[in-house]
Amino acid sequence: MKRASPLALCVASLFASTAFAAAVVGQPAPAFTATDLAGKPVSLADFNGKTVVLEWHNFGCPFVQKHYRSGNMQALQKKYGTEVVWLTVNSTNAGHQDYQSPAQLGKALAEAGAAPTRFVMDEPGQVGLAYGAKVTPHMYVIDPSGKVAYNGAIDDKRSTDVADVKTAKNFVVAALEEMKAGKPVSNASNAPYGCTIKYR
Amino acid sequence: MSRLLLAATAFLLALASHAAPVRTERVEAELLAERVAAAPGKPATVGLRLRMDEHWHTYWRNPGDSGLPTKIRWTLPEGWTAGPIQWPYPEGQRIGPLMNYGYSGEVLLLVDLTPPADAKPGPVALKADADWLVCKDVCIPEKASLALDFAVAPGEPGAVAGNAGAFSRSRAQLPVPTTGWTSEALVSGNRLTLRVLPPAGGVAPAKVSYFPYRENFVDHPAPQALVRDGHGFRLEAKLVEPVAAGVTEASGVFVAESSWPGLPGRKAVELAMPVAASLPALAAPVGVPAGEAGGSLALALAFALAGGLLLNLMPCVFPVLGIKVMGFVRHAHGDSRALWMQGAVFSLGVLVSFLVLAGLLLALRAGGAELGWGFQLQSPAFVTLLAALFFLMALNLFGVFEWGGFAQSMTSNVSAKGRYADAFLAGVLATVVATPCTAPFMGAAVGFTLAQPAAVSLAVFAVLGAGMALPVLALSFFPGALKRLPRPGPWMETFKQVMAFPLFATVIWLAWVLGAQAGNDAVMALLAGLLVLGMGAWVYGRWARSESLLRFVFAALFAALGLWLAWPGADARPGEARAAAVRAGEIDWQPWSPERLAELRAAGTPVFVDFTAAWCVTCQVNKRVALNRDEVARALAARGVVALKADWTNHDPRITAALAELGRNALPVYALYAPGQAQPVLLPEVLTASLVVDELSKLPAAKPAAASTLTQR
């Protein structure tokens, strides 16, 4: 069966509630509503018509640390701060040693000089599961029409070595620049690297 | 002089091939040499040994959904070259919804180092900077600078004492590059099919896991399905979407459960997997080892027929069959042709609905959904609809209203056409309510069929339906038995009303299922909806003689309002009712998860897993009559068995995958894992307490854990 019939899709949607889904490039990005560090609701729908970057985050992860210690992630957040909506999402479950409360996260982000548009607390992991986010940092770019434009790694140097950031080719930058130039994203989907997300 | 040189060389070689292990936070790393020296121009094998702390692991060349492969950077004397890491086959490491490929315990990564042909004999220092990521649920990047005092010596250097075992173990785990086998792949939609056939006269292993070299290609945690294809097999895996375009090969490592046929002591092979435009038709299985998962089509069909027959005795189908048999009574004393036509149309109804349900199941599975038999009852919306339908049927039997017009009453004396529609509908209903029941033999048949091509699956489902329809069909052809029943008369009205009670009982059960799925509020909404639906039915029946359009308008209005009230909201969540259900009974049930099961089995604890669902009636009956009994609870405790409950009431792909591994796709399934046994014992679908106790008594007696703790103090 190449294409699911409308009926099959309709029935399938009844069962799609708990599955580990995925955000597929070229398809609409899964909608979500969660809360930010202040407990205010954040919805993907709030940013209709804008380019949205999703960054999966966990300060306890050495791969995430690489991009914050080197200042790489903060620089990207600031560089694209006016052009795109940058949402940093944390799906670490509350029982895990890596979990940080909104207050702790707020402090740590401020110390690191991070500047995402909003920070999304995804403590039950629903946003992560809907996107099929596997690792931190798993990166997504959503185009202004709400379709997934990029899904994959942050760059091509799969390491925890801070020195690698300088020489790495950043896939998110490449995707955003291509989108800005009105070109299709040439490398739109690849294997993300990092630490397993600590889902419940 | 020459003796002095010899002694000096021996002394140097004794010093050589020596390295000190480096201890990092979670790993002990060391370079090992297989031989005391390398001959000029000839490769010598050395290895990086990583000893991980308990529960920690490092990664294979394709690390799976996260992680990093271990890297080695060599610093070698002038002219030396280092080959790639030779990776032993990995193990799958499931973490929540994700899958990693790697190693736990200890791994020796082999590398061939080649000195130049003009290398001068004597000691050399080899250096390696190794990087690895070691993870439990958290990850630590670690590195070590390692050194190995090695040597170049002409001739055939001797083995390093004490290292031979480690090297031969690691070599035994290297995938064997295999030739002579036919291997090709097909990418179709989001499915990868790998066709593997042995050379002439060979056999393929019965159970195989596939570890792809390519990253981000195969959906690692998705279950892999195996189908026999002639002497070989086909392995089907799900792909990551969007499926990478232009993939020309899907090579990887195939690991058998025991030795790979023709390769004693070796489990893993490496097969080249060119992607083909199409694959030849599936061949009939040949030479499948007896007793392996799968089984033959003929056996599956026989099981399906028996399972279908027995379905009639299961508690789900009973109310509908009662109504059907009553319909027969009306005709038993009349026209025999009309009677068997009725039986045939009923059977057709059963067959068609089995095929539709099976077709839908196959189509959805092909689309990537991980579903199993009875899947429709995992949907609160479907359960609500079914409850509403049964409620209306029961009201109809009570005489609150007659269908009239669009569909005829199940029992009224109407035209032949209406009766056929009736019989067909009864067949459809019987099938729909039969799905939550699994009869004996049926589990194996359904489990077998879902790994088969669609035509075979549909044949098995059709035979299952035929088996279920057979008793009614037989009755309609040989109405002698029915003749003994009293002639139609006023007693029929009484009987009709009595039959409403089992239907109400079914509604109660469905309300309970809904409660387990969507919580207390959903049950309340359902009951309120049924009340309003009842009002609609009453309006429709009360003014049955009225010509006014208002009767229809109000009936329809109430019906719509009732359904709207009952419809489960999208935010419905399993409530506390479910947790309470787990707590009920004497057995200390713990929730199942693949991790928990693996943990218990690794600790050598016997485990009993109850794959169950609120909508699975056979499961509920077994729970009452066989499982929640004192003697079973005592037997479990006496053998130190941990009881895990895998609840499939709501859709759960992990349970679907676990069932697939057991060759099943329908409930109930009872699996008893004895310590040290690779495969669990599967208990029959219909249990008795003594049967469970007998199986438990085959386990070794539990170690008196509490006592030993006391004596240690």
Side-chain angles (χ1 to χ4, degrees), chain B residues 451-669:
Chain B
Q452 303 290 324
V456 176
S457 307
L458 290 176
V460 169
F461 278 108
V463 170
L464 198 60
M468 187 173 126
L470 206 56
V472 171
L473 195 65
L475 268 181
S476 69
F477 273 88
F478 306 103
L482 286 171
K483 290 249 161 58
R484 290 195 201 156
L485 290 168
R487 296 198 146 266
W491 71 271
M492 298 264 305
E493 188 57 28
T494 315
F495 184 69
K496 189 179 100 165
Q497 290 178 8
V498 167
M499 285 315 289
F501 291 106
L503 282 182
F504 280 126
T506 311
V507 174
I508 292 175
W509 164 64
L510 286 168
W512 179 73
V513 170
L514 188 68
Q517 283 173 334
N520 206 13
D521 291 351
V523 175
M524 197 55 224
L526 173 70
L527 295 179
L530 290 183
L531 177 70
V532 178
L533 209 58
M535 289 180 196
W538 173 76
V539 167
Y540 188 77
R542 174 68 186 81
W543 286 282
R545 302 239 167 85
S546 156
E547 298 287 311
S548 163
L549 205 62
L550 279 177
R551 170 193 172 218
F552 291 100
V553 170
F554 274 100
L557 214 62
F558 276 119
L561 181 65
L563 278 179
W564 178 77
L565 276 174
W567 200 254
D571 57 342
R573 290 274 193 79
E576 280 90 69
R578 201 160 156 201
V582 173
R583 254 182 265 120
E586 299 96 349
I587 299 171
D588 176 24
W589 291 105
Q590 299 177 16
W592 171 92
S593 70
E595 298 82 34
R596 178 79 181 124
L597 178 63
E599 186 186 313
L600 287 167
R601 291 188 65 196
T605 312
V607 184
F608 180 74
V609 183
D610 176 9
F611 290 91
T612 185
W615 43 262
C616 163
V617 182
T618 315
C619 305
Q620 303 311 322
V621 172
N622 283 337
K623 188 169 92 183
R624 297 260 184 290
V625 306
L627 289 180
N628 282 353
R629 299 282 292 263
D630 283 348
E631 59 263 44
V632 174
R634 274 200 303 273
L636 285 170
R639 305 280 162 184
V641 181
V642 173
L644 298 183
K645 183 170 297 234
D647 192 340
W648 213 27
T649 301
N650 289 306
H651 177 59
D652 186 341
R654 296 192 308 169
I655 296 181
T656 314
L659 287 173
E661 274 172 31
L662 297 172
R664 295 299 173 93
N665 189 254
L667 296 180
V669 171

Side-chain angles (χ1 to χ4, degrees), chain A residues 15 18 96 158 160 190 196 198, chain B residues 66 68 137 141 215-216 651:
Chain A
F15 306 104
T18 54
H96 195 275
R158 314 179 53 162
T160 55
N190 55 51
T196 316
K198 279 70 186 173
Chain B
S66 63
L68 280 184
D137 54 344
E215 291 180 37
N216 205 38
H651 177 59

